Amino acid sequence: MENKAHAIAAGLFLLLLGLALAASVAWFQGDRTARVHYTVVSRSGVSGLNLKAPVKLRGVEVGFVDSIGFDPQDPRQILVGIAVDAAAPVSAATHAQLGLQGVTGLSFIGLEETATNAPLQRAAPGARIPLQPALLDRLATSGPLLIARFSEAAERLNLLLSDDNRTQLGRSLQKLEQAATDTSQLMTALQPGARALPGLLKDADATAQRATAALREIEALAADGRALTQDLKTRVAVLDQLGGAAAQLQASTRNLELALVGDTPPRTRPLVTDLSAASRSVERAAQGLGDQPQSLLFGRSPPPPGPGEPGFAERLKEGGR
């Protein structure tokens, strides 16, 4: 009896000790953090997502998944319940995405804000957060279209790289190489001219300066020529007046001679004759000045050489030409 009592006491002691240890472990492992529950709404798959999967806000773990199920009102939607730390800044503009946990194939829920510059407005407890498709989901959705476009691009590339096009491309490359060679030769030929170009520019500048000076001299000569022409015109007008006066004098003398021939005494006839000769001399002088008005300035030019005189043969040659 005494041995049985000791065995029962030892068993009770061990049982109480185990219960105490279990209570201690439960006490230390218990989650006493204040949580706020939200619902993540997904219209695509949530593969790799399990209960107790972590929930991260901008990479910081702030909660876990506590439920996964279909929406009773719309079976095409999946409702994922998450428990998030009450201190986590979950805003009304937050959206969710699935992320992979390394190479395990398991997923977690990542929360991101759409507008990070806007003032923080916390989401109400129980609010629904949309789940945006991940990169792999978008690739899976647009995969057939991408494959079709890739196939079309491959066909066009195959058509572009046909035998005829490759041959034509080879000819074009040969012509391009020949053009490059010709250009190199042309540049080599132009190098001496390019070296001489500065000197030519200097000569052209000096020539332009000389031409400017010559133009100024020509303008000065033109001004002098205009003045000389005006002077000559004035002198010619004077000569014309002189010629007119001589003609009037000759006419008057002739009239006087005719009037006095009949009844002039013999003593006055030599005087009339001298007046007539003087008038004719004045007329010849006026006619000579009219033919060569420049003789008034530069002197009378000599008459052309006659037969037997020096220069007559050259004159005949020039006249023959």
Side-chain angles (χ1 to χ4, degrees), residues 27-159:
W27 174 262
F28 286 110
Q29 289 186 350
D31 188 4
R32 294 182 299 276
T33 305
R35 302 285 183 179
V36 179
H37 293 271
Y38 301 100
T39 301
V40 176
V41 182
S42 173
R43 299 192 66 89
S44 59
V46 289
S47 58
L49 188 64
N50 298 321
L51 294 175
K52 302 299 180 181
V55 175
K56 298 181 180 181
L57 178 61
R58 296 196 296 272
V60 179
E61 186 172 347
V62 293
F64 57 89
V65 176
D66 60 359
S67 65
I68 301 175
F70 291 99
D71 188 355
Q73 299 179 358
D74 186 1
R76 288 175 297 182
Q77 291 186 157
I78 299 175
L79 302 181
V80 179
I82 58 174
V84 180
D85 188 357
V90 179
S91 67
T94 300
H95 66 272
Q97 273 189 339
L98 288 181
L100 295 176
Q101 301 184 50
V103 294
T104 61
L106 299 177
S107 301
F108 68 92
I109 292 181
L111 301 178
E112 298 291 339
E113 291 187 24
T114 303
T116 56
N117 295 329
L120 179 62
Q121 183 179 0
R122 288 183 175 274
R128 292 196 169 190
I129 300 175
L131 179 68
Q132 294 184 355
L135 177 61
L136 294 179
D137 295 334
R138 292 198 296 268
L139 290 176
T141 302
S142 59
L145 181 61
L146 291 176
I147 293 174
R149 290 184 178 178
F150 180 77
S151 178
E152 182 180 359
E155 291 178 0
R156 292 184 178 181
L157 183 61
N158 189 21
L159 180 62

Side-chain angles (χ1 to χ4, degrees), residues 170-224:
R171 290 197 296 267
S172 300
L173 290 176
Q174 291 178 358
K175 291 181 180 179
L176 183 61
E177 183 179 2
Q178 182 64 32
T181 303
D182 296 341
T183 303
S184 178
Q185 294 176 357
L186 179 61
M187 293 299 295
T188 303
L190 289 177
Q191 284 180 358
R195 296 191 186 97
L197 186 59
L200 292 176
L201 292 176
K202 292 181 180 179
D203 295 340
D205 190 11
T207 303
Q209 293 178 358
R210 289 194 295 271
T212 303
L215 288 175
R216 292 175 181 173
E217 293 178 358
I218 290 174
E219 290 178 355
L221 291 176
D224 296 340

Side-chain angles (χ1 to χ4, degrees), residues 228-315:
L228 181 60
T229 302
Q230 188 65 29
D231 189 16
L232 288 177
K233 287 181 180 180
T234 303
R235 293 177 183 271
V236 168
V238 173
L239 292 176
D240 290 339
Q241 294 177 0
L242 182 60
Q248 291 179 2
L249 179 61
Q250 184 180 6
S252 300
T253 303
R254 287 179 180 177
N255 293 331
L256 180 63
E257 183 180 358
L258 290 175
L260 296 177
V261 167
D263 53 357
T264 302
R267 295 179 181 179
T268 60
R269 287 181 180 177
L271 178 61
V272 173
T273 303
D274 294 338
L275 288 175
S276 178
S279 65
R280 283 194 293 271
S281 299
V282 172
E283 182 181 5
R284 285 194 300 272
Q287 185 176 3
L289 289 175
D291 294 337
Q292 296 181 0
Q294 68 274 14
S295 62
L296 190 63
L297 298 176
F298 306 108
R300 188 175 182 85
S301 59
E309 294 180 355
F312 181 72
E314 289 77 5
R315 178 187 176 193

